[in-house]
Amino acid sequence: MRHYLPGLLLLAFSNASLAEIQTRELTYRSADGTPLVGYYAYDDAIEGPRPGVMVVHEWWGLNDYAKRRARDLAGLGYSALAIDMYGQGRNTEHPADAQAFMQAATANAENAKNRFLASLELLKAQPRTDGRKIAAIGYCFGGKVVLDMARQGVPLAGVVSFHGNLSAQTPATPSSVKARILVAHGEADSFVSDRDIADFKHEMEQAGADYRFNSYPGAKHSFTNPDADAHAGHGLDISYQKEADERSWADMQAFLREVFE
């Protein structure tokens, strides 16, 4: 027995060392027939189903940043899906294209919701996802998307909006919000006015929503994205702030632990 034990230990160590974040693209369609491309990530060192988290991209589309966040979530032990709200996995680095993509995606509110719901069902269908425990996070445009889904009563445990637009096309109504909400807002975000913040808080309070609003001093729009400074060259008032990025990510982790208890 003593003769084989070192070999068994070496085999166990080798198998453990091979465990890593696995990723793959998943193609699917929304109810309106739009072809969509999701980016799925999970840690294969974890056995069995685990809570799922959807990632909704910035207005740039399903780019490397959204995919990186899915991998980050997988590293935290979640089943993570970066979803596609534009169709065919489209993304861009030019603001004019991003604006056009965003306007097309939100022109029909029902189609936008259907794309989100199709993504939700796709994540639930993954064998490593505990379909009873799903949350969604979103950045910029994606932050507004997850807030709007919460307003409309989509059955999520929680949503987190990072530097998202707070305005509502269809405001929440009493008892309509089922998900718990965390807003991670940059205090220096020129895209969101003081009136926007006051209106959002009033809306949530009137709806009886379980929400918290965290504001990070000195942080501008897109404060979580290291690529923001490069994009600022297009004349956008955006900037990465490492401290706010790390604090908001830590706040999200604590929030997700709470909602998945």
Side-chain angles (χ1 to χ4, degrees), residues 75-97:
L76 295 175
Y78 297 112
S79 176
L81 179 69
I83 76 170
D84 178 11
M85 290 295 293
Y86 291 166
Q88 300 178 321
R90 282 179 293 196
N91 62 83
T92 183
E93 293 187 358
H94 197 284
D97 293 335

Side-chain angles (χ1 to χ4, degrees), residues 156-208:
L156 299 163
V159 303
V160 184
S161 168
F162 293 92
H163 42 83
N165 185 324
L166 303 177
S167 62
Q169 185 173 3
T170 304
T173 57
S175 301
S176 70
V177 181
K178 310 303 181 187
R180 294 167 69 178
I181 294 173
L182 170 64
V183 172
H185 169 72
E187 195 175 75
D189 190 337
S190 62
F191 289 74
V192 180
S193 69
D194 291 341
R195 178 60 184 270
D196 291 334
I197 296 171
D199 288 348
F200 173 77
K201 291 180 177 180
H202 178 73
E203 176 196 359
M204 292 296 107
E205 287 158 10
Q206 290 295 109

Side-chain angles (χ1 to χ4, degrees), residues 134-137 156-160 179-181 255-256 259-260:
I134 306 288
I137 71 172
L156 299 163
V159 303
V160 184
R180 294 167 69 178
I181 294 173
F255 175 78
L256 291 179
V259 302
F260 288 140

Side-chain angles (χ1 to χ4, degrees), residues 14-93:
S14 297
N15 288 339
S17 67
L18 293 174
E20 59 182 11
I21 304 303
Q22 301 293 327
T23 65
R24 63 174 181 266
E25 286 192 346
L26 302 173
T27 57
Y28 60 115
R29 289 182 180 270
S30 66
D32 66 334
T34 302
L36 305 171
V37 179
Y39 180 84
Y40 180 59
Y42 65 93
D43 185 346
D44 66 0
I46 300 173
E47 295 184 1
R50 73 290 315 256
V53 182
M54 304 166 68
V55 180
V56 190
H57 53 76
E58 296 178 288
W59 75 332
W60 306 111
L62 183 59
N63 58 10
D64 289 341
Y65 178 63
K67 294 175 182 179
R68 192 259 282 182
R69 286 306 192 184
R71 295 193 299 272
D72 290 343
L73 286 162
L76 295 175
Y78 297 112
S79 176
L81 179 69
I83 76 170
D84 178 11
M85 290 295 293
Y86 291 166
Q88 300 178 321
R90 282 179 293 196
N91 62 83
T92 183
E93 293 187 358

